[in-house]
């Protein structure tokens, strides 16, 4: 899974990136007009516990790749525009985080001169819609030409979908709110569309604004949060300082500042919710591992996430839920209690299931 961090200049994108990835980029590296990316382990206390019990040679967390995407430029009309670099980076992202600056900092001016949350969210949405419209319009022209030549049924279907998209965009709606079917999404994935991607709006506060977060969050929830959109708050600067500390020190620090959830935790929770994801585990002496899959996947599909061969050669899955396993204390006991059982391919995997695949 890959998540792009986008936003206006000086909103705190690179600060957030460094917080999430616990990296420290040299200011000279940051100043370069390049995007940065890094893979982050998804923290999971359950996996930690399983690792303590099984003492495997290897522990493998689920992983998310974050990309600090740069590439906004001022257009001739004064509007913001996306560079080709931006579009090509964002293309592969499964979801986006839009960093919105709430903090005041005289040393680094907001590009618009003042802080205005709704303006910044709106202006991004407008740019997304304009960018998508121009892509869709071009594609419609192409597809129409192709249909005249080839009378291709697939293309005719695509045209209907494209016209639906255009209609939506003309009404100033984001495509992520349209609720497209899976197969339509598959087609749309081929284009460099922006407004179709699930969006986590991340409000970046200063430590002096800790008591104000609810007010801002409420306003976004009321006006902006709909299908495929969520909002969270974080404290870019102090959380970056915090990411240098040990886990215990960081906990004390968070308590002191009354921060309930770290940026990493809320972003992972938010993106899992947005993308409809959850995790199951595999355990053993060689490796304990967390796997991320779409909610609603059955045992066969989940096995396919481990290895594509497991999908085609799937026979059954041995399943026990993490909570049941912990209660029983061992596989043997869980089996005795009927909590450890064999499931067929239709079984819908639950968050926290421990699974062993039986395959031919
Ligand atoms: N006071 C304050 N400054 C911040 C905060 N977050 C980021 N900054 C500063 O704002 C500037 C821009 O941040 P940066 O992450 O580079 O923004 P980017 O251009 O979006 O990547 C840097 O000087 C940061 O130290 C914050 O929460 N409070
Ligand atoms: Mg930056």
């Amino acid at each position: 899974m890959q998540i792009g961090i986008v936003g206006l200049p000086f909103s705190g994108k690179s600060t957030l990136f460094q917080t999430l990835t616990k990296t420290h980029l040299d200011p000279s590296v940051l100043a370069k007009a390049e995007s940065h990316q890094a893979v982050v382990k998804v923290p999971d206390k359950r996996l930690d516990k399983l690792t303590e019990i099984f003492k495997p040679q290897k522990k493998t967390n689920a992983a998310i790749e974050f990309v600090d995407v740069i590439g906004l430029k001022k257009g001739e009309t004064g509007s913001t525009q996306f560079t080709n670099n931006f579009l090509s980076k964002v293309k592969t992202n499964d979801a986006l985080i839009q960093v919105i600056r709430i903090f005041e900092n005289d040393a680094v001016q907001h590009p618009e001169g003042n802080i205005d949350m709704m303006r910044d969210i709106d202006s991004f949405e407008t740019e997304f819609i304009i960018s998508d419209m121009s892509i869709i319009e071009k594609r419609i022209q192409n597809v129409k030409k192709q249909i005249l030549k080839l009378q291709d049924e697939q293309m005719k279907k695509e045209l209907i979908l494209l016209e639906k998209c255009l209609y939506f965009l003309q009404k100033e709606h984001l495509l992520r709110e349209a609720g497209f079917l899976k197969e339509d999404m598959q087609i749309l994935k081929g284009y460099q569309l922006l407004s179709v991607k699930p969006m986590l709006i991340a409000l970046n506060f200063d430590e002096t604004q800790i008591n104000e977060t609810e007010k801002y969050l409420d306003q976004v929830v009321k006006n902006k949060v709909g299908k495929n959109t969520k909002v969270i708050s974080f404290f870019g600067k102090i959380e970056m300082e915090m990411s240098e500390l040990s886990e215990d020190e960081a906990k004390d620090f968070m308590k002191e500042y009354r921060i309930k959830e770290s940026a990493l935790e809320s972003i992972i929770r938010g993106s899992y919710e947005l993308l409809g994801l959850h995790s199951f585990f595999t355990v053993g002496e060689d490796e304990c591992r967390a796997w991320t899959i779409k909610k609603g996947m059955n045992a066969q599909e989940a096995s396919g996430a481990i290895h594509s061969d497991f999908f085609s050669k799937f026979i059954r899955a041995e399943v026990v839920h993490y909570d049941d396993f912990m209660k029983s204390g061992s596989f043997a006991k869980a089996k005795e209690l009927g909590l450890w059982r064999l499931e067929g391919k239709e079984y819908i995997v639950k968050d926290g299931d421990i699974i062993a695949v039986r395959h031919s």
Side-chain angles (χ1 to χ4, degrees):
M1 177 171 40
Q2 198 188 52
I3 300 183
I5 304 173
V6 301
L8 288 172
F10 310 125
S11 53
K13 297 183 295 296
S14 300
T15 306
L16 177 62
F17 176 81
Q18 293 174 92
T19 306
L20 296 174
T21 59
K22 297 197 196 305
T23 49
H24 267 284
L25 299 173
D26 201 273
S28 66
V29 173
L30 276 176
K32 275 197 207 144
E34 280 165 17
S35 299
H36 317 279
Q37 53 200 78
V39 174
V40 170
K41 286 181 189 168
V42 175
D44 193 322
K45 298 232 162 60
R46 299 169 300 182
L47 181 66
D48 299 342
K49 271 270 179 281
L50 291 170
T51 306
E52 274 171 34
I53 294 168
F54 287 92
K55 300 188 176 47
Q57 289 176 4
K58 206 167 137 205
K59 165 182 157 191
T60 312
N61 293 64
I64 300 182
E65 186 170 30
F66 288 103
V67 189
D68 177 6
V69 191
I70 60 142
L72 264 184
K73 62 171 186 215
K74 283 271 176 203
E76 279 161 18
T77 55
S79 67
T80 45
Q81 289 177 346
F82 301 111
T83 62
N84 285 335
N85 176 54
F86 180 93
L87 293 171
S88 68
K89 282 280 180 234
V90 164
K91 190 182 172 185
T92 53
N93 296 163
D94 299 296
L96 299 176
I97 299 172
Q98 182 186 0
V99 179
I100 299 286
R101 173 167 168 178
I102 313 288
F103 69 87
E104 305 270 358
N105 184 346
D106 291 336
V108 268
Q109 273 278 322
H110 185 293
E112 302 290 343
N114 67 328
I115 304 296
D116 184 340
M117 171 179 75
M118 293 314 275
R119 174 202 60 206
D120 290 353
I121 297 176
D122 284 337
S123 76
F124 244 72
E125 289 187 351
T126 307
E127 296 304 326
F128 274 26
I129 288 172
I130 292 171
S131 171
D132 286 359
M133 241 174 5
S134 98
I135 290 168
I136 298 276
E137 279 166 352
K138 274 188 210 128
R139 183 69 197 159
I140 286 179
Q141 279 177 6
N142 268 332
V143 171
K144 276 186 177 162
K145 273 188 212 150
Q146 295 287 328
I147 291 174
L148 280 179
K149 256 196 271 175
L150 304 169
Q151 290 303 321
D152 184 280
E153 287 308 311
Q154 207 50 43
M155 290 250 164
K156 285 181 188 168
K157 269 191 205 150
E158 187 177 337
L159 183 61
I160 294 172
L161 173 63
L162 288 167
E163 282 178 334
K164 213 196 272 177
C165 289
L166 189 60
Y167 176 81
F168 230 80
L169 294 165
Q170 282 165 341
K171 296 250 174 235
E172 292 178 29
H173 291 308
L174 301 156
L175 295 177
R176 62 177 188 256
E177 290 164 359
F180 287 118
L181 299 172
K182 223 175 169 180
E183 54 258 40
D184 288 345
M185 280 304 290
Q186 215 51 42
I187 298 174
L188 295 180
K189 256 192 184 161
Y191 315 138
Q192 296 189 327
L193 298 173
L194 298 173
S195 78
V196 79
K197 291 182 192 289
M199 174 66 85
L200 192 62
I201 299 171
L203 310 181
N204 186 9
F205 290 90
D206 212 296
E207 63 271 27
T208 59
Q209 300 169 313
I210 282 175
N211 294 323
E212 293 174 48
T213 57
E214 290 302 324
K215 189 177 78 191
Y216 286 91
L217 285 168
D218 283 349
Q219 201 186 347
V220 181
V221 168
K222 234 182 256 154
N223 295 293
K224 292 292 169 195
V225 170
K227 230 179 246 159
N228 292 314
T229 312
K230 281 193 167 291
V231 60
I232 59 145
S233 60
F234 73 104
F235 303 89
K237 204 160 170 214
I238 43 173
E239 291 202 51
M240 186 166 129
E241 286 162 17
M242 216 166 72
S243 65
E244 289 167 33
L245 304 174
S246 73
E247 215 171 293
D248 284 341
E249 283 172 320
K251 262 190 206 136
D252 289 343
F253 199 89
M254 280 173 69
K255 227 189 232 156
E256 187 187 330
Y257 280 103
R258 285 174 289 130
I259 300 173
K260 290 188 203 91
E261 199 176 38
S262 72
L264 181 62
E265 286 165 333
S266 47
I267 279 173
I268 286 173
R269 197 170 44 77
S271 30
Y272 270 55
E273 281 173 21
L274 264 181
L275 296 167
L277 301 173
H278 63 185
S279 306
F280 72 91
F281 305 105
T282 52
V283 296
E285 281 165 15
D286 46 338
E287 188 185 39
C288 285
R289 181 160 180 171
W291 303 84
T292 300
I293 53 165
K294 282 249 177 219
K295 282 181 191 166
M297 273 191 172
N298 64 33
Q300 187 182 18
E301 291 164 331
S303 306
I306 301 174
H307 198 298
S308 51
D309 269 1
F310 286 6
F311 182 86
S312 49
K313 296 180 179 157
F314 181 90
I315 301 172
R316 269 159 187 270
E318 300 168 28
V319 184
V320 58
H321 192 271
Y322 171 84
D323 293 337
D324 293 333
F325 175 74
M326 295 309 281
K327 255 186 274 165
S328 8
S330 71
F331 277 127
K333 187 76 186 162
K335 195 171 181 180
E336 200 184 299
L337 296 170
L339 299 168
W340 180 96
R341 72 264 175 216
L342 277 175
E343 298 280 3
K345 63 179 175 192
E346 300 301 338
Y347 170 73
I348 302 296
V349 174
K350 296 192 181 53
D351 184 54
D353 274 348
I354 300 171
I355 291 183
V357 183
R358 286 192 187 175
H359 55 89
S360 57

